[in-house]
């Protein structure tokens, strides 16, 4: 499946390329999917009830957050790796 994107031009604010202009691809979001919508979709595709799906997903998210808060990375095959990322605001 192709991902829709648009290009944006930004000035590099730090490092060796400071002051240079670069073009970046930025994904275009078409719609926000709510937790409830996600639970319903999984319920339709499985034999679990919406309540069961909701409970499992909530426990999944709580577990990921707990691992992240203790300094771990969480790898999900086919989805990517969750990790804590910190930065400072960029002054424009």
């Amino acid at each position: 499946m192709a991902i829709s994107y648009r290009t944006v031009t930004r000035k590099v604010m730090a490092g060796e390329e400071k002051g240079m202009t670069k073009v970046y691809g930025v994904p275009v979001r078409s719609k926000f999917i709510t937790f409830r919508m996600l639970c319903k979709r999984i319920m339709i595709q499985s034999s679990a009830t919406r309540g069961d799906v909701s409970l499992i997903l909530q426990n999944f998210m709580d577990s990921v957050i707990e691992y992240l808060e203790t300094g771990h990375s969480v790898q999900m095959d086919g989805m990517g790796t969750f990790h804590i990322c910190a930065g400072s605001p960029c002054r424009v």
Side-chain angles (χ1 to χ4, degrees), residues 33-72:
I33 303 301
T34 66
F35 183 79
R36 184 179 174 98
M37 293 164 69
L38 184 60
C39 289
K40 184 176 180 180
R41 171 83 180 255
I42 294 170
M43 178 193 73
I44 290 168
Q45 294 177 336
S46 68
S47 60
T49 66
R50 186 183 307 184
D52 290 339
V53 172
S54 177
L55 180 65
I56 291 167
L57 288 179
Q58 188 61 55
N59 285 330
F60 164 75
M61 291 186 299
D62 291 344
S63 296
V64 169
I65 290 168
E66 185 178 322
Y67 279 119
L68 294 174
E69 288 176 342
T70 57
H72 293 84

Side-chain angles (χ1 to χ4, degrees), residues 4-18:
S4 298
Y5 70 94
R6 62 184 173 85
T7 58
V8 295
T9 304
R10 294 187 183 139
K11 194 176 217 181
V12 179
M13 302 303 287
E16 292 180 12
E17 298 178 335
K18 183 176 180 176

Side-chain angles (χ1 to χ4, degrees), residues 75-86:
Q75 183 179 2
M76 296 290 299
D77 293 339
M79 187 174 190
T81 302
F82 295 89
H83 62 275
I84 297 291
C85 183

